[in-house]
Amino acid sequence: MSNHITTDLLVDYVHHELAPEEDALVHAHLGECAGCRREVENESALTDALRSAAAAEETDMPSLVAARVWETIRSARPSPLGRLAVLLRPAVAVPLAAALVIGAYVAVPLSHGGPAPTIDAGYYFEQHAAAQVQYPLAERGATLQPADRAALEDDSPPAQLAEQSNVGVATVDFISAVR
Amino acid sequence: MSRRAFATALPVAAAFFLALGSTNTRAASPADPALVLLRASLGAPKVVSYVGQLETVRFSSSRATATIVRVEHRAPSLTRRWYLAPESLYGDYTITRGIATYDFDIKNSRVTISHNPALDEQISSAGNFDRVLANYRAVLGGNDIIAGRATRSVVLINKYTGERAIRVWIDERTHLVLKKEEYHGNGAVASQMRFEGVRYTNAIPDGVFSTDPPSGYAQIAGHDFKMPSTDVGRVIQEAGFAPASPKDLPQGFSLVGGSVATTNGVKTIHLVYSDGLRTISLFENATGAAADFGALRPKTLRFENHDAEYVEDGPTTLLTWREHGVYFALVGDLLRNELVDIAKSVVP
Ligand SMILES: [Zn+2]
């Protein structure tokens, strides 16, 4: 049983946001896996830094925190972690609200006489981002790809995916749990 | 923690008409140096070409998410962004030509092409800038060196709450925004972007902006986003049901547009509210189609008698709930409690 814990689960674990059963599973795994323990330490450290910065009511992003975030990102080892990840689309001059995968919107097929259709959460994020790019300075045009294209198609066994997921504290939101 | 001032929003129809005409600018004089600089920065990408490395961090309530992108921009409207981080995106790139965006997914050998007319509206739309000035005070900040360039910063302060909402560092020579920080209503940083390096050049080869897919790439039709319409009658007619609108919005916000789209067979109305800087989207469908969070891990919260679910994408929060057979989804770069306050005031 070499399934590592996904970064998402680890982050939630650090923030005490897991259901008791999940929490227990993660706790048990950490007892026997140095790699995942290291990632937990990283996540905890960043969280602490962010918290203390917030407590100090600093409004500019503290340079130390920023520096650590960048350092982590730059030193991140190649890993398929992000294959499960959101696509953040930062924009500069001309904000970008790109749609990537039309398939995500219809990920839940209309089944005949089955359950009611649903709307992909990513649809809401994208439409919102698309509408807001017209506003001055509004390059929050990050486009979320929740049911990420890779996650949707990924066939790799979870163990292999999680294997290299220790990229540290540059946690990517919305990483899916072990699939 | 500052309590946001709330204003009573008008019913949908009335608000539409008002929103259109009423961007009254009792703003500072046009010669105000902060405004001059800000206005120049909005127009800069239309005239300045550059190559740079851009780093962005977005904060959700407990996490930081970052990306690093190499940007090549040729004025007025050609941009290529090449992802260096996170690893999942490494090598992927997007090319924006006017309102068209080509998204090259190198791992899956495909390119997705989408169109968003709003990409072209941003700079030309003077009305939007007026709306910013109606709700925010621009204050000149200090001088800083960013990416080796001399910059001057401008802070936009919300006129109703006194909180600063955004700070931009503008290149003194080219007026390009080289750094930007956005703040939540409680002063916390919501996101930060900055150029790590920038070089102004007119010598970017045409090939950089080529949208020809490499051989073997599948071409996928992405979205053709619609500009939110300001014709409320038509939008409601198209929706086939009367949407509910929030009675309380943060002060300065008003309805600025709406659209109807059918996704997964579900007709959904999208109402857009803005104070010129920030935007809130309210989606409604009367079909009973709930949100599918897929691989996301929504959290639950209760307000009034509703079991709501929410997820965060950096500082952007999506909150969904159901009332009287209508499914609502509210999206905005606001704190969760701010969104909940708005949601409470949406009564079908
Ligand atoms: Zn492990």
Side-chain angles (χ1 to χ4, degrees):
Chain A
M1 211 300 286
S2 66
N3 281 14
H4 291 282
I5 310 296
T6 61
T7 304
D8 200 36
L9 276 173
L10 286 178
V11 169
D12 282 353
Y13 174 81
V14 169
H15 296 286
H16 310 289
E17 288 171 352
L18 290 180
E21 320 81 64
E22 280 181 312
D23 192 79
L25 277 173
V26 173
H27 185 78
H29 179 81
L30 291 175
E32 56 195 34
C33 177
C36 287
R37 269 203 305 278
R38 204 162 48 239
E39 193 176 5
V40 161
E41 282 157 19
N42 284 341
E43 171 60 26
S44 305
L46 180 66
T47 302
D48 289 347
L50 289 171
R51 284 230 173 89
S52 50
E57 294 203 8
E58 280 205 55
T59 43
D60 281 322
M61 177 136 79
S63 54
L64 266 180
V65 174
R68 287 181 57 184
V69 170
W70 295 126
E71 190 183 298
T72 305
I73 294 159
R74 293 212 181 84
S75 62
R77 287 185 286 116
S79 101
L81 164 71
R83 297 172 64 202
L84 300 169
V86 300
L87 296 184
L88 265 181
R89 300 280 157 175
V92 213
V94 186
L96 170 69
L100 283 149
V101 189
I102 192 89
Y105 289 11
V106 287
V108 178
L110 276 166
S111 44
H112 320 292
T118 57
I119 296 180
D120 193 285
Y123 172 83
Y124 293 129
F125 278 107
E126 283 201 351
Q127 293 291 321
H128 172 73
Q132 89 176 344
V133 291
Q134 67 177 302
Y135 295 97
L137 300 168
E139 40 106 343
R140 309 157 188 235
T143 301
L144 172 75
Q145 211 56 43
D148 175 47
R149 56 192 185 197
L152 277 176
E153 295 173 358
D154 199 70
D155 300 313
S156 334
Q160 190 195 328
L161 277 176
E163 190 98 309
Q164 302 164 52
S165 75
N166 291 322
V167 298
V169 296
T171 53
V172 181
D173 285 354
F174 297 123
I175 299 154
S176 62
V178 173
R179 303 174 70 78
Chain B
M1 295 293 250
S2 75
R3 182 101 185 99
R4 184 177 300 280
F6 274 79
T8 303
L10 296 161
V12 172
F16 257 104
F17 295 119
L18 282 176
L20 304 185
S22 76
T23 47
N24 60 331
T25 27
R26 43 194 158 72
S29 86
D32 181 327
L35 290 187
V36 170
L37 200 53
L38 201 58
R39 205 181 282 275
S41 79
L42 296 179
K46 289 282 187 200
V47 292
V48 177
S49 300
Y50 60 88
V51 175
Q53 181 166 313
L54 181 76
E55 307 184 330
T56 304
V57 189
R58 289 158 52 82
F59 293 94
S60 66
S61 56
S62 60
R63 305 176 196 183
T65 310
T67 48
I68 302 177
V69 180
R70 178 181 165 84
V71 184
E72 286 149 308
H73 174 73
R74 182 196 285 172
S77 58
L78 291 178
T79 310
R80 173 178 155 130
R81 296 178 182 82
W82 187 58
Y83 285 83
L84 303 176
E87 185 60 34
S88 57
L89 297 180
Y90 184 86
D92 286 354
Y93 60 98
T94 63
I95 291 170
T96 306
R97 302 181 74 100
I99 66 164
T101 297
Y102 299 73
D103 218 311
F104 290 84
D105 172 357
I106 62 168
K107 284 149 204 93
N108 297 298
S109 299
R110 63 188 178 195
V111 54
T112 305
I113 305 156
S114 52
H115 298 88
N116 184 2
L119 285 173
D120 205 33
E121 291 295 317
Q122 186 199 15
I123 290 154
S124 62
S125 174
N128 288 332
F129 192 62
D130 288 347
R131 191 174 280 115
V132 173
L133 300 186
N135 296 312
Y136 293 89
R137 196 158 50 85
V139 177
L140 216 47
N143 298 293
D144 282 302
I145 302 291
I146 309 288
R149 306 280 307 178
T151 67
R152 191 74 196 265
S153 70
V154 174
V155 184
L156 287 173
I157 296 169
N158 189 297
K159 286 183 179 175
Y160 311 103
T161 64
E163 295 285 349
R164 63 181 183 168
I166 194 170
R167 183 175 180 191
V168 288
W169 285 257
I170 299 167
D171 189 315
E172 293 199 284
R173 296 283 290 277
T174 65
H175 300 138
L176 194 67
V177 173
L178 295 182
K179 181 179 171 184
K180 188 176 82 165
E181 272 184 5
E182 293 173 277
Y183 313 97
H184 281 304
N186 63 359
V189 176
S191 69
Q192 189 198 54
M193 80 86 172
R194 70 154 196 243
F195 276 96
E196 181 72 357
V198 68
R199 186 166 54 86
Y200 296 103
T201 174
N202 288 314
I204 308 173
D206 289 341
V208 165
F209 305 107
S210 167
T211 54
D212 296 337
S215 69
Y217 268 52
Q219 288 202 41
I220 296 171
H223 294 291
D224 283 330
F225 292 101
K226 286 191 278 189
M227 280 294 286
S229 163
T230 49
D231 181 350
V232 65
R234 194 180 60 71
V235 170
I236 292 178
Q237 194 176 23
E238 210 183 321
F241 67 99
S245 63
K247 299 195 171 37
D248 292 320
L249 285 168
Q251 215 165 340
F253 277 83
S254 59
L255 185 62
V256 293
S259 61
V260 174
T262 299
T263 177
N264 201 15
V266 179
K267 202 173 254 189
T268 300
I269 191 166
H270 177 190
L271 301 174
V272 182
Y273 302 84
S274 178
D275 68 354
L277 204 57
R278 297 169 301 163
T279 309
I280 299 167
S281 288
L282 178 62
F283 300 88
E284 306 179 23
N285 78 72
T287 315
D292 171 22
F293 288 92
L296 306 180
R297 296 155 51 87
K299 297 189 166 61
T300 56
L301 61 80
R302 262 189 88 75
F303 68 87
E304 292 174 339
N305 288 320
H306 310 301
D307 288 312
E309 290 184 292
Y310 70 93
V311 287
E312 294 174 337
D313 168 31
T316 310
T317 299
L318 162 66
L319 176 71
T320 68
W321 73 99
R322 177 190 184 152
E323 187 165 6
H324 289 113
V326 177
Y327 267 92
F328 294 94
L330 191 60
V331 189
D333 284 17
L334 296 181
L335 296 168
R336 197 191 318 142
N337 59 343
E338 295 175 310
L339 280 181
V340 169
D341 282 343
I342 296 169
K344 281 178 187 166
S345 79
V346 179
V347 182

